[in-house]
Amino acid sequence: MDEFSYLSVLLSIIIGLAVTQLLTGMRGQMLARARVRGFWPSQLWAGSFLVISTQVWWAMFDLRDRHDWAFAGFAILLAQTIALYLLTGLVYPDFPAEGTVDLRAHYFAQRIHFFTLLAIAPVLSVARDLVLNHALPGRENLAFHGLFLALAVSGLMVAGEAIHKSLAAFGAAAIVCYVVFLFAHLGG
């Protein structure tokens, strides 16, 4: 087993747990649908984070030929996947056997934690390139990171529902564009 195959096991488990968080939340919502007060930005964030989780896993394939691993490089990848897991865990509440579940109330109760982690995520991603490649990401990639950071800071600064609906829609569109323009093909 090569170095990255060994290291990627833990990273893949954490990414898998992130996907599990989202799918468990979606399932919980389906099962409790009669007791759920919906909030479509939560659904959009859930879908967006399914795409992000897949993209993070997909992009890690480019590290398969790397053999000069140091703990700092692995630690930054670990921090990135942990932040992703924590973010996905905030999208949906736990769905109890009884009682109403208000997705809007949950969203705004978790807003500060969610958008703080969302702001940390692009910083960790840029740090990953700095630690692993000793360089910033490419111009387009860095621009998307700046866009995601601005979106997260906006979500932290403003609590209005209309703004958060716009942020969810804009974030979903930006994530789709990011994946399509920068990660449509596995590295060669």
Side-chain angles (χ1 to χ4, degrees), residues 61-78:
F61 185 74
D62 282 341
L63 300 173
R64 71 194 178 285
D65 294 327
R66 184 179 201 94
H67 299 286
D68 61 336
W69 285 97
F71 187 76
F74 178 68
I76 197 73
L77 289 172
L78 188 59

Side-chain angles (χ1 to χ4, degrees), residues 5-187:
S5 294
Y6 176 77
L7 297 174
S8 68
V9 171
L10 180 57
L11 303 174
S12 295
I13 288 170
I14 296 169
I15 294 168
L17 289 171
V19 170
T20 300
Q21 284 284 347
L22 295 167
L23 296 178
T24 300
M26 290 174 183
R27 178 184 177 272
Q29 184 178 347
M30 286 184 230
L31 293 174
R33 66 188 165 278
R35 301 180 290 110
V36 174
R37 289 189 187 131
F39 189 61
W40 65 261
S42 296
Q43 313 311 341
L44 209 46
W45 283 119
S48 296
F49 278 103
L50 278 174
V51 172
I52 290 169
S53 296
T54 305
Q55 182 275 327
V56 167
W57 181 76
W58 178 270
M60 283 190 188
F61 185 74
D62 282 341
L63 300 173
R64 71 194 178 285
D65 294 327
R66 184 179 201 94
H67 299 286
D68 61 336
W69 285 97
F71 187 76
F74 178 68
I76 197 73
L77 289 172
L78 188 59
Q80 191 177 16
T81 57
I82 289 170
L84 176 62
Y85 169 78
L86 293 173
L87 269 163
T88 61
L90 294 174
V91 173
Y92 288 116
D94 292 333
F95 288 86
E98 296 178 7
T100 302
V101 178
D102 187 339
L103 293 181
R104 182 189 178 284
H106 174 78
Y107 179 95
F108 285 102
Q110 300 306 322
R111 178 181 70 87
I112 298 298
H113 287 102
F114 181 83
F115 284 97
T116 298
L117 285 166
L118 195 59
I120 290 169
V123 172
L124 287 171
S125 186
V126 170
R128 171 192 157 175
D129 281 342
L130 288 171
V131 170
L132 292 178
N133 304 324
H134 309 290
L136 289 170
R139 185 179 322 146
E140 296 86 6
N141 199 353
L142 194 57
F144 274 109
H145 284 75
L147 181 69
F148 296 136
L149 182 59
L151 184 145
V153 170
S154 298
L156 276 169
M157 305 275 296
V158 180
E161 184 172 327
I163 295 297
H164 280 267
K165 286 179 175 178
S166 297
L167 290 175
F170 183 73
I175 288 160
V176 168
C177 289
Y178 181 68
V179 170
V180 167
F181 293 129
L182 298 178
F183 294 98
H185 302 282
L186 281 176

